Amino acid sequence: MTNHLPPELLQLSVAERIQLAEDLWDSVAQDAAQLPISEAQRKELERRLARFAEDPATRPWEIVKQELSNR
């Protein structure tokens, strides 16, 4: 795999590079609303919302994720 990172980034420790990746991802997530979604993605979101509304036993991902991390 070819590495296209600037050499100074490769001099960071693994922990520092992980933190940098997390910080970069957080900055992308903050601007995610600016990204357009395709018609297919919009339809899939609507389908999932309708399914969620039909099945009140469905649990949000945040709750499932928390339960799994507590194991």
Side-chain angles (χ1 to χ4, degrees), residues 18-55:
I18 290 170
Q19 185 62 57
L20 178 61
E22 290 175 354
D23 293 345
L24 182 58
W25 184 252
D26 288 345
S27 74
V28 170
Q30 287 176 351
D31 297 331
Q34 296 176 12
L35 295 173
I37 63 171
S38 69
E39 184 64 20
Q41 290 169 322
R42 188 188 59 73
K43 286 182 179 180
E44 177 62 16
L45 288 170
E46 288 174 356
R47 184 192 69 79
R48 291 182 185 194
L49 271 172
R51 186 171 177 202
F52 179 75
E54 291 170 5
D55 184 3

Side-chain angles (χ1 to χ4, degrees), residues 5 7 11-12 16 18 20-21 26 31 35 44 53 55 61 63 67-68:
L5 293 174
Q11 294 175 0
L12 297 172
E16 290 170 322
I18 290 170
L20 178 61
D26 288 345
D31 297 331
L35 295 173
E44 177 62 16
D55 184 3
W61 167 241
I63 292 172
E67 290 172 355
L68 290 173

